[in-house]
Amino acid sequence: MQPHERFFKAKPDFRDAYSRDRDRIIHCSSFRRLEYKTQVFLNSVGDFFRTRLTHSLEVSQIARAIARAIGLNEALCEAIALAHDLGHTPFGHAGGDELDSLLKQYSTYGFEHNFQSFRVVTQLEKRYADYDGLNLTFATLEGILKHSYPYKKKFLNEHINKCFRLDYHPSLEAIVVDHADEMAYISHDIDDGLKCGFLTMEHIRSNGLIKEVLKQVYAEGITQEHHVFRPRLVSLLINFLVFAFIEFSKKSPYLQQEEPICATLAAHIAHGIGFDEWIKRQLKELKAILYKQLYSHHEVKRKTHFGKRCIRALFNDFMNDIWLLPYQNRLEIQNDAKKQYRVVADYIAGMSDRFAIRLYQELHVG
């Protein structure tokens, strides 16, 4: 054996299984494309706005911090968090809604981003000669598929339903990721909304959570006119939510066991992990404000309208002429023509905003 060959033969892996999952996710093509996928604002609008990639990193950071504090598996939380948005289309949820509508012309199963994320890591990523996908552990796959609540969908086949027990909650780690996702997008949407001026403090000031956070901001001697007001507001909001989550969840009897739970859970177990009722109400109110003032802002709506039109046009182009598709996609269709609509959808879902816009302009603008 040559000296360098020992590195390829080394057993066992120096990483634990969930750390290996995390590394495989980080190095896959779908993860890199998140850099140019919309969170709320189109990627072409400005470099300072969040993208799917920066959002995934923020979710991972929050989830890891919580997992460490309440004694769960930090690496599993990280793997689920980094992969949870891999299935999102370009142009945010609007793009997914448009693709869902287009696919339902051909199948009762349209487009659903959680299941698409699952398909990315089990089928669409090609990294090994003997099988498709990233070869991730069951717990990571379950967390990607289900997140924090029972995920029973009519379009899922019996094998998936039975294997992943879709009428049950996933692991506590997946539940933590789902809440971390909520904390991340609420806080960074407030940050981005205030920065671009689509959202103002007057819109959110009356919310109970914001009132509590503002007390701390003012206690630091920072007024609304101060140049660090917005960063401190957002940072302290995340801090408040993370500490509240940890404080409430630590009381759960399921975290007092000698061995941390990392298995599919009955629905009632999940009730001890999360926020108290007051914070739940405040978060619900805050999300309603964001929907009305930010997500429905006419500038955001115009961009997402363009995104939906772009996806619709590309889908029809590829359905009408498969020679517009790359070779590998054409080969899949030629091997099974009934799969054309799904191959087309997978190709579009994997695009970044910038690539989709450039291709649309090439085919339709000239």
Side-chain angles (χ1 to χ4, degrees), residues 229-247:
F229 173 81
R230 178 174 47 81
R232 293 306 298 147
L233 174 74
V234 174
S235 176
L236 290 169
L237 174 59
I238 295 173
N239 194 64
F240 183 96
L241 290 172
V242 168
F243 273 96
F245 186 97
I246 292 169
E247 183 179 279

Side-chain angles (χ1 to χ4, degrees), residues 119 123-124 126 132 322 325-340 342-344 346-347:
R119 292 183 69 244
Q123 298 178 46
L124 301 180
K126 314 294 185 186
D132 294 333
I322 67 169
L325 292 164
Y327 170 76
Q328 197 60 43
N329 301 98
R330 294 202 311 271
L331 189 62
E332 287 185 67
I333 294 170
Q334 288 164 352
N335 289 337
D336 185 358
K338 293 179 181 179
K339 290 172 56 179
Q340 181 176 348
R342 187 60 57 186
V343 172
V344 167
D346 289 339
Y347 180 54

Side-chain angles (χ1 to χ4, degrees), residues 15 71 115 148 158 164 168 198 235 248 285 288 294 330-331 345:
R15 302 162 294 182
F115 187 52
S148 71
E158 185 178 346
F164 289 96
Y168 276 55
F198 295 175
S235 176
F248 181 82
E285 178 186 293
L294 180 59
R330 294 202 311 271
L331 189 62

Side-chain angles (χ1 to χ4, degrees), residues 35-84:
E35 180 179 2
Y36 298 112
K37 286 194 176 187
T38 290
Q39 187 65 27
V40 173
F41 300 93
L42 246 63
N43 187 264
S44 58
V45 173
D47 292 337
F48 50 81
F49 292 123
R50 265 70 172 193
T51 66
R52 288 285 171 199
L53 180 61
T54 57
H55 167 69
S56 297
L57 294 173
E58 290 179 19
V59 175
S60 173
Q61 178 268 315
I62 293 170
R64 290 196 329 266
I66 292 172
R68 193 180 312 124
I70 64 178
L72 297 179
N73 192 300
E74 192 176 339
L76 176 56
C77 279
E78 186 174 22
I80 296 170
L82 293 174
H84 84 285

